[in-house]
């Protein structure tokens, strides 16, 4: 019990040392970079430095978040906005500057970088400073005569260290013991405060949390609505389709059994009709299941399911994929239906001949682009199914971007955060 | 004729054993999962295998993968694959080795026992039998895609029947034209699809494959 307590206190003191000695220089570098950005903003040069500075500050903040979680067990969520894709050249870079400049999280990172070398360092340094000074007290006691009279003329706390005060030689060591004890005593509390201080500026603000909750509530409502509509459609299809055919089949069989002796020929005809009904019911059930969860998706996952859809498409669809392993089933399903809906859209509206589908997983993002050589002019605000895809993706925090100038080409980009699971590989490319 | 049967549903397996035995087949082995199927195909070397796609342990495309694996060990092993669904993607994979002796049918075709047994026999004889559902999708697509667009309506009709695994004689009977005319159509089809005349029996397989890849 005492043992763990001691270890905890010792590591807290060392932790304080880490924050002060190891982090001080990187923090000051961040401070310097930020000063340059703000100082040179007037002549525009500062703006150019903004994206790398933002990235550096983010790295610093992430390091703090990670360590605080590992050492103090306090989770600090990241408040950053999802980064869109930036184009090449200066225009893309300007977009990047705007993106970071308008992200409140960047300015909070900046405020943290400005204040942490004072506030954070004070909190972190106090325990280790007490311990260090305590040790210094021992040194003075041990080397009293060497120190005195060699330009060393000082006080150690209330002890005046000089000739003729040898009687007080033990005092610095005694005081040192007290200081070390105090340092160890307050270390956990101080580091706790240090962690809390870190959270003040590095965690999302209540407004951000609220916005996030609003988003989640909205997408959940959308997901529930979509699900309910889907269930209604399935129920209706079953009721009007397979169920009706099975009833008809039963009636035909019933009538046939009654006619069997009187009119075998008519009975034969009814039996044939019953068989046709069963075949139709089967085929309708098949289509229904395809609409709920396509067999290839269940068997092979996203990539092959998309390739199978590409094969069925009347258009010339080329699929290129760099996706290793299977993704989470609900995510695969969402991505698959998003792609097939996009493909249906192209077939219906775009007047295109060629379609290119590119899927890749990188940095925890599943990125899918569907491009066509059609007439363009697709518009998110004019319905056309794209909003539906967007809602479908939003449930998974995914986003959809559309570029479709009049005259084409149309490029639909979809991004979904993901983690790939099982090692089963299905990376391939092919022509359909 | 010795058959290996793979189907995990007991009732259906039992039914198919009865059906095939009634038509004079000998059941060499009847298995219910993928690994057992590969084993049975490689050791028994049957004259033909009838295989369900979805089986334990994964209940995905186990049967299909078992067939592809076994055919790497025993090239050209005749297999008729049955599935609840027919997918062009899977049809393409089955035909990809170009060896023929492959069938890919919807499971419900079993109900029509005569034509089902006929399909089994055609596959055993090295023929290729594709489900009409695959063929109709291919041809619907073919209208818009090269080189399928180059075919005349009649040639498309012939190819459709050819892909279902019928012989020239059977196609001639169905379309009510002479066998000679069919031979002419097929050679036109091969030419338009760019399949060289090499005395290879499996140009029919290649023709269907060319469509799948088109």
């Amino acid at each position: 019990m005492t043992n763990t307590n001691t270890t905890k206190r010792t590591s807290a003191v060392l932790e304080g040392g880490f924050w002060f000695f190891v982090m001080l220089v990187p923090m000051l570098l961040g401070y310097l970079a930020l000063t340059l950005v703000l100082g040179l903003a007037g002549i525009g040069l500062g703006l150019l430095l903004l994206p790398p500075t933002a990235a550096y500050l983010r790295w610093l903040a992430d390091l703090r978040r990670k360590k605080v979680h590992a050492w103090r067990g306090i989770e600090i969520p990241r408040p950053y906005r999802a980064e869109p894709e930036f184009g090449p050249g200066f225009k893309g870079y300007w977009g990047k500057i705007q993106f970071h400049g308008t992200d409140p999280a960047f300015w909070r990172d900046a405020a943290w970088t400005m204040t942490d070398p004072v506030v954070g360092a004070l909190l972190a340094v106090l325990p280790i400073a007490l311990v260090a000074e305590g040790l210094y007290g021992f040194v003075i006691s041990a080397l009293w005569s060497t120190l005195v009279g060699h330009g060393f003329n000082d006080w150690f706390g209330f002890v005046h260290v000089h000739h003729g005060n040898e009687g007080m030689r033990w005092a610095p060591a005694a005081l040192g013991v007290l200081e070390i004890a105090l340092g160890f005593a307050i270390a956990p509390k101080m580091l706790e405060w240090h962690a809390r201080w870190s959270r003040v500026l590095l965690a999302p603000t209540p407004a951000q949390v609220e916005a996030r909750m609003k988003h989640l509530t909205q997408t959940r409502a959308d997901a529930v609505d979509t699900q309910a509509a889907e269930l209604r459609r399935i129920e209706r299809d079953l009721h009007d389709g397979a169920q009706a055919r099975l009833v008809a089949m039963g009636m035909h069989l019933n009538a046939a059994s009654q006619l069997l002796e009187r009119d075998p020929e008519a009975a034969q005809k009814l039996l044939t009709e019953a068989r046709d009904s069963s075949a139709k019911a089967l085929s309708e059930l098949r289509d229904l299941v395809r609409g709920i969860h396509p067999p290839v998706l269940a068997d092979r996952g996203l990539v092959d399911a998309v390739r199978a859809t590409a094969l069925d498409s009347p258009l010339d669809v080329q699929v290129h994929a760099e996706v290793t392993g299977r993704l989470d089933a609900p995510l695969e399903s969402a991505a698959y239906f998003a792609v097939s809906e996009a493909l249906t859209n192209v077939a219906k509206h775009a007047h295109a001949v060629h379609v290119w589908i590119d899927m890749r997983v990188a940095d925890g993002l599943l990125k899918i682009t569907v491009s066509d050589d059609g007439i363009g002019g697709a518009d998110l605000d004019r319905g056309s199914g794209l909003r539906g895809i967007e809602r479908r993706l939003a449930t998974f925090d995914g986003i959809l971007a559309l570029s479709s100038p009049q005259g084409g080409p149309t490029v639909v980009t979809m991004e979904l955060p993901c983690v790939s699971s099982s090692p089963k590989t299905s990376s391939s490319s092919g022509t359909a | 004729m010795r058959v290996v049967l793979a189907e995990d549903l007991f009732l259906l397996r039992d039914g198919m054993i009865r059906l095939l035995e009634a038509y004079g087949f000998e059941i060499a082995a009847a298995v219910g999962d993928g690994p057992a199927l590969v084993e049975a195909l490689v050791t028994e070397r049957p004259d033909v295998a009838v295989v369900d796609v979805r089986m334990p342990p994964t209940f995905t495309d186990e049967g299909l993968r078992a067939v592809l694996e076994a055919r790497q060990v025993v090239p050209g092993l005749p297999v008729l694959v049955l599935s609840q669904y027919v997918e062009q993607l899977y049809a393409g994979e089955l035909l990809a080795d170009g060896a023929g002796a492959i069938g890919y049918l919807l499971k419900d075709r079993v109900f029509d026992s005569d034509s089902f047994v006929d399909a089994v026999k055609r596959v055993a004889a090295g023929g290729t039998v594709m489900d009409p559902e695959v063929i109709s999708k291919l041809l619907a697509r073919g209208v818009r895609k090269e080189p399928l667009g180059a075919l005349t309506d009649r040639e498309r009709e012939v190819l459709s029947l050819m892909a279902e695994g019928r012989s020239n004689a059977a196609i001639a009977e169905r379309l009510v034209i002479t066998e000679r005319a069919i031979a002419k159509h097929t050679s036109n089809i091969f030419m338009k699809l760019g399949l060289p005349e090499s005395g290879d029996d499996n140009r029919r397989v290649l023709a269907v494959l060319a469509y799948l890849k088109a």
Side-chain angles (χ1 to χ4, degrees):
Chain A
M1 192 70 194
T2 339
N3 207 3
T4 28
N5 219 353
T6 318
T7 328
K8 219 171 94 188
R9 288 176 191 283
T10 313
S11 61
V13 170
L14 294 176
E15 203 182 309
F18 176 87
W19 291 127
F20 188 71
F21 294 109
V22 181
M23 284 301 286
L24 195 60
V25 173
M27 285 301 292
L28 288 177
L29 275 177
Y31 189 94
L32 190 69
L34 202 56
T35 318
L36 277 175
V37 169
L38 297 175
L40 299 179
I43 55 168
L45 203 63
L47 291 180
L48 294 181
L49 290 174
L50 201 147
T53 305
Y56 181 68
L57 295 190
R58 194 174 284 199
W59 174 79
L60 275 178
D62 277 342
L63 181 66
R64 171 69 59 94
R65 289 189 188 95
K66 210 171 89 192
K67 291 284 184 195
V68 161
H69 184 239
W71 288 340
R72 295 285 119 200
I74 292 177
E75 185 110 33
I76 305 178
R78 300 176 88 235
Y80 306 112
R81 291 200 301 227
E83 200 163 328
E85 174 104 340
F86 296 109
F90 182 75
K91 212 176 149 206
Y93 197 76
W94 177 242
K96 223 171 181 169
I97 293 171
Q98 278 185 320
F99 169 78
H100 286 297
T102 55
D103 188 355
F106 165 70
W107 293 105
R108 279 157 48 86
D109 276 359
W112 171 73
T113 315
M114 295 285 198
T115 48
D116 192 68
V118 179
V119 183
L122 254 176
L123 290 170
V125 83
L126 201 58
I128 195 166
L130 280 170
V131 171
E133 213 201 12
L135 290 173
Y136 180 53
F138 280 98
V139 173
I140 292 177
S141 288
L143 305 177
W144 183 283
S145 14
T146 323
L147 293 171
V148 172
H150 286 87
F152 180 89
N153 179 20
D154 217 339
W155 291 80
F156 182 78
F158 59 84
V159 187
H160 197 194
V161 183
H162 76 133
H163 278 299
N165 208 3
E166 264 82 6
M168 292 293 276
R169 188 175 175 157
W170 53 270
L175 198 56
V177 171
L178 281 179
E179 282 186 331
I180 292 171
L182 185 65
F184 276 102
I186 63 168
K189 204 73 204 162
M190 293 302 277
L191 269 297
E192 186 81 23
W193 286 348
H194 181 259
R196 285 175 193 283
W197 150 252
S198 305
R199 198 168 58 179
V200 168
L201 282 170
L202 295 185
T205 61
Q208 280 173 313
V209 174
E210 198 179 314
R212 172 84 188 135
M213 271 173 60
K214 247 188 189 156
H215 173 78
L216 288 179
T217 314
Q218 182 61 44
T219 52
R220 187 185 60 181
D222 284 346
V224 170
D225 282 353
T226 316
Q227 205 77 295
E230 194 72 2
L231 282 177
R232 275 198 301 279
R233 182 186 65 80
I234 293 166
E235 191 270 340
R236 205 175 44 236
D237 283 0
L238 279 176
H239 186 265
D240 297 348
Q243 211 173 331
R245 297 213 186 278
L246 288 174
V247 171
M249 211 170 105
M251 280 160 62
H252 283 139
L253 287 175
N254 195 22
S257 71
Q258 282 173 8
L259 282 172
L260 208 53
E261 286 185 3
R262 275 192 289 125
D263 188 352
E265 211 167 290
Q268 179 63 43
K269 213 178 127 204
L270 285 171
L271 285 174
T272 313
E273 271 176 46
R275 200 183 62 186
D276 289 350
S277 280
S278 92
K280 278 188 188 128
L282 269 173
S283 118
E284 275 169 12
L285 284 173
R286 242 193 312 271
D287 287 345
L288 197 62
V289 173
R290 261 210 185 99
I292 300 169
H293 194 54
V296 185
L297 185 64
D299 292 355
R300 303 276 188 88
L302 180 63
V303 174
D304 276 356
V306 169
R307 289 180 57 210
T309 311
L311 281 170
D312 288 346
S313 168
L315 304 164
D316 176 32
V317 186
Q318 286 193 25
V319 181
H320 180 77
E322 280 167 38
V323 179
T324 324
R326 294 287 295 260
L327 309 170
D328 281 346
L331 189 96
E332 275 194 337
S333 176
Y336 169 79
F337 282 108
V339 172
S340 61
E341 228 160 288
L343 211 52
T344 314
N345 255 341
V346 174
K348 261 198 224 158
H349 307 293
H351 302 282
V353 180
H354 297 282
V355 183
W356 296 269
I357 300 176
D358 187 276
M359 299 184 280
R360 60 187 66 232
V361 172
D363 305 324
L365 269 186
L366 168 63
K367 201 176 145 193
I368 306 172
T369 51
V370 179
S371 358
D372 66 64
D373 60 353
I375 53 165
D379 187 352
L380 272 176
D381 295 321
R382 286 209 333 268
S384 79
L386 284 167
R387 280 280 175 219
I389 302 177
E390 204 178 25
R391 271 200 298 279
R392 206 188 266 280
L393 299 178
T395 317
F396 295 85
D397 274 339
I399 48 170
L400 178 143
L402 172 73
S403 153
S404 184
Q406 286 295 341
T410 301
V411 180
V412 179
T413 308
M414 298 174 261
E415 277 184 4
L416 283 158
C418 72
V419 272
S420 69
S421 50
S422 87
K424 196 179 146 192
T425 315
S426 57
S427 168
S428 52
S429 65
T431 312
Chain B
M1 209 180 268
R2 295 170 65 249
V3 188
V4 162
L5 190 63
E7 164 65 58
D8 60 308
L9 288 177
F10 171 75
L11 279 178
L12 206 49
R13 184 167 68 213
D14 201 50
M16 279 206 282
I17 291 176
R18 280 164 204 272
L19 175 70
L20 289 170
E21 277 177 348
Y23 278 85
F25 290 89
E26 177 199 338
I27 306 296
V31 296
D33 66 77
L37 173 60
V38 179
E39 164 96 32
L41 289 179
V42 173
T43 53
E44 294 289 342
R45 310 255 166 148
D47 297 312
V48 63
V50 178
V51 173
D52 180 26
V53 168
R54 204 167 270 203
M55 276 194 295
T58 61
F59 287 102
T60 58
D61 56 350
E62 200 71 32
L64 195 75
R65 279 185 278 132
V67 168
L68 295 175
E69 197 182 324
R71 273 171 65 104
Q72 286 198 339
V73 184
V74 191
L77 180 77
V79 183
L80 176 63
V81 175
L82 295 177
S83 173
Q84 213 68 260
Y85 311 89
V86 290
E87 289 287 344
Q88 288 188 57
L89 187 76
Y90 293 170
E93 285 174 359
L94 284 167
L95 289 174
D97 62 9
I102 278 289
Y104 185 45
L105 290 181
L106 270 178
K107 233 175 181 176
D108 20 316
R109 308 285 178 221
V110 178
F111 294 163
D112 187 351
S113 46
D114 280 336
S115 78
F116 169 65
V117 169
D118 189 38
V120 177
K121 285 182 178 154
R122 270 184 274 146
V123 170
T128 302
V129 181
M130 281 292 129
D131 197 275
E133 192 167 290
V134 176
I135 309 299
S136 65
K137 267 191 201 164
L138 283 175
L139 295 174
R141 206 169 51 112
V143 180
R144 279 176 245 188
K145 286 194 185 175
E146 293 296 326
L148 313 170
L151 298 188
T152 64
D153 286 348
R154 186 55 123 187
E155 282 161 1
R156 239 180 246 136
E157 233 172 326
V158 171
L159 180 78
S160 139
L161 290 164
M162 196 159 90
E164 280 177 33
R166 291 174 207 285
S167 65
N168 279 4
I171 298 172
E173 194 183 325
R174 175 70 80 87
L175 296 179
V176 206
I177 46 178
T178 64
E179 215 174 308
R180 209 194 172 113
I182 299 294
K184 206 173 148 209
H185 284 313
T186 46
S187 71
N188 275 344
I189 292 169
F190 292 151
M191 194 190 68
K192 284 180 181 173
L193 293 180
L195 299 171
E197 209 165 332
S198 64
D200 185 348
D201 282 353
N202 285 319
R203 278 209 289 177
R204 283 165 174 270
V205 180
L206 294 176
V208 179
L209 197 55
Y211 270 98
L212 284 165
K213 283 180 176 167

